[in-house]
Amino acid sequence: MTASPIADSYDVATLRVREFPWAERGERIYLNHASTGPLPVRTVRALAEYNTLRSMPWRITDELEFGTVRRSRELCAGLIGATAAEVALMVNTTYGINLAARALPFDKGDVVLSFDKEFPANVYPWMALDKARGVTLRQIPVRDGLPDEEALHRALDGPRVRAVSVSWVGFSSGYKVDLRRLGEACHQRGIYLIVDAMQGLGGATLDVTDCHVDLLACGGQKWLLSPWGTGFVYVREALVQKLEPQAVGWMSVRASEDFTRLTDYDFTWWEDARRFEVITLPYQDFYGMNASLELLCELGPAAVAAHVERLATRIVEWSLDRGDVRLVTPADPARRAGVVAVAPRDPVAASERLTSAGVSHSLREGAIRLSPHCYNTEEEVDRALATMVGE
């Protein structure tokens, strides 16, 4: 299914040759993983392999089909310090946030706290809950353009606060929330903590148990270098059997395990997080995701995070040394991950220069967003920075 391990140590040059040859050939400087991550060579091969079998479906065994998603749950769980029984596979982050909004036991008048300027996927499900069930979404105003964690902590003691839903890493600012501190504060007060991990996981490391996370949602197509239509939700073990799935899948119940007796209806949920899955999943895409996650595991999530941090620090230090560029992302390494936003004097013109030079990036909220990953090099970052300011 996957290629052999790259090496005992994490060697960027070897990684580029084997998994991202277009980068090694200099065809593109890709610094836009906060938008869409490229597929490694092994993942492309895995997708082709599975789709070839799909053209002759009699060759797809039950073990291949259901073994694929079983392996997906294991790999996703391993990335966040969870168990496979706490992981349900989803096709995007939004579905996981909707699960939290619809399945948690909210009452009319309860309050959900979040930050202003959050990505819409972590806003609209809560707005819909407000409309449907009278649960109020209170967004804490940003401070100097960044999430105000101190204000959020003060708000935890407000009346009827039932949950907090935040992005671990902000999509536009790159601000990284102190989840350990926030999780402990929520845990002490009996407040649910819901996390959108899309812009952090894969470029940084996270332990959901250590951070007292109750539900976490993450799509695979960005930092996890996986196909569109892949992702997962983590539900803390103690919550799994307390929550009623809002979307009922025909394989969410134990009776559907035996395909020879599907009409022996028995509406008994799985005891693990599979109760939240809605089958049929895109098995071929999760087969591809497995290849990508296995690559990240081979490299070592901590080693990947350290490499990403070095490149991000290079961007931060460069911007701090200049008078014509404003750093949007916090300079403190504890408050950032792989997303770094900088605002040159004319962001639109800077974006045009980068595009013309073949540097993939994003223009978000008046700033240039750069997001390097495991295979990018310091030379690529330096070229992108020089291009941005016209040097």
Side-chain angles (χ1 to χ4, degrees):
M1 185 201 306
T2 58
S4 59
I6 290 171
D8 292 335
S9 61
Y10 176 8
D11 182 74
V12 176
T14 301
L15 172 64
R16 287 166 68 87
V17 169
R18 291 193 178 180
E19 301 292 351
F20 305 96
W22 51 268
E24 182 63 17
R25 293 192 297 266
E27 296 177 10
R28 192 82 177 177
I29 296 178
Y30 195 82
L31 301 174
N32 202 22
H33 301 85
S35 180
T36 305
L39 300 179
V41 166
R42 67 173 67 190
T43 304
V44 175
R45 289 174 178 164
L47 290 167
E49 176 185 346
Y50 202 103
N51 282 323
T52 297
L53 294 175
R54 179 67 176 83
S55 70
M56 299 169 282
W58 62 89
R59 298 182 61 189
I60 299 179
T61 64
D62 287 347
E63 175 55 32
L64 175 60
E65 190 169 336
F66 296 108
T68 291
V69 290
R70 183 172 60 249
R71 179 61 173 155
S72 297
R73 297 185 199 102
E74 294 169 350
L75 288 165
C76 292
L79 285 177
I80 59 173
T83 66
E86 297 173 300
V87 169
L89 301 179
M90 305 281 171
V91 296
N92 52 44
T93 305
T94 304
Y95 198 96
I97 300 297
N98 273 278
L99 170 64
R102 299 293 174 172
L104 286 171
F106 292 111
D107 295 321
K108 184 176 181 179
D110 284 345
V111 174
V112 176
L113 298 178
S114 188
F115 291 117
D116 193 15
K117 308 302 180 184
E118 276 275 356
F119 190 76
N122 196 28
V123 176
Y124 291 132
W126 303 112
M127 286 184 171
L129 188 65
D130 188 349
K131 184 176 180 180
R133 294 169 56 185
V135 176
T136 300
L137 170 65
R138 180 185 170 195
Q139 293 178 282
I140 305 300
V142 297
R143 183 178 181 181
D144 298 327
L146 298 174
D148 189 342
E149 281 197 60
E150 296 308 317
L152 176 63
H153 277 266
R154 290 193 296 270
L156 293 176
D157 293 318
R160 301 291 300 272
V161 174
R162 190 67 170 140
V164 174
S165 185
V166 296
S167 293
W168 178 27
V169 177
F171 83 102
S172 62
S173 68
Y175 183 95
K176 184 171 72 172
V177 172
D178 185 347
L179 285 185
R180 180 180 288 110
R181 180 188 175 211
L182 180 58
E184 180 61 32
C186 289
H187 180 66
Q188 291 175 356
R189 293 165 173 81
I191 294 172
Y192 297 114
L193 176 59
I194 301 102
V195 175
D196 176 344
M198 172 64 94
Q199 292 294 2
L201 194 61
T205 58
L206 174 65
D207 187 314
V208 289
T209 302
D210 185 48
C211 295
H212 296 287
V213 175
D214 291 296
L215 288 97
L216 176 146
C218 186
Q221 73 269 23
K222 299 182 188 290
W223 294 91
L224 297 182
L225 307 175
S226 297
W228 286 304
T230 60
F232 71 97
V233 63
Y234 156 83
V235 182
R236 182 169 55 86
E237 182 181 13
L239 276 179
V240 169
Q241 295 185 41
K242 294 180 180 179
L243 302 185
E244 288 285 320
Q246 298 303 296
V248 181
W250 68 273
M251 287 193 67
S252 300
V253 296
R254 290 184 298 179
S256 295
E257 186 174 30
D258 184 353
F259 281 18
T260 69
R261 302 169 63 92
L262 290 176
T263 58
D264 289 352
Y265 308 115
D266 179 6
F267 192 50
T268 303
W269 300 112
W270 283 109
E271 295 181 353
D272 58 27
R274 283 178 293 173
R275 62 171 56 194
F276 304 114
E277 291 182 353
V278 179
I279 299 292
T280 298
L281 292 166
Y283 296 104
Q284 73 283 351
D285 295 326
F286 280 96
Y287 192 77
M289 183 183 79
N290 292 351
S292 292
L293 297 189
E294 285 169 355
L295 170 62
L296 293 176
C297 289
E298 289 172 15
L299 298 176
V304 170
H307 181 76
V308 171
E309 182 181 344
R310 283 192 294 271
L311 297 180
T313 297
R314 198 172 186 88
I315 301 170
V316 168
E317 292 179 346
W318 172 87
S319 63
L320 292 175
D321 286 339
R322 303 186 65 92
D324 57 347
V325 175
R326 176 176 61 87
L327 177 65
V328 175
T329 303
D332 181 0
R335 285 291 180 270
R336 55 180 167 82
V339 179
V340 183
V342 296
R345 289 173 179 168
D346 188 341
V348 174
S351 179
E352 291 174 350
R353 282 193 294 271
L354 288 167
T355 299
S356 296
V359 179
S360 294
H361 65 287
S362 289
L363 180 61
R364 294 287 187 272
E365 310 299 320
I368 301 296
R369 187 182 70 182
L370 301 174
S371 44
H373 210 329
C374 57
Y375 63 91
N376 287 121
T377 64
E378 293 181 352
E379 291 75 18
E380 288 179 320
V381 168
D382 291 345
R383 284 175 56 193
L385 297 176
T387 300
M388 185 194 310
V389 294
E391 293 180 348

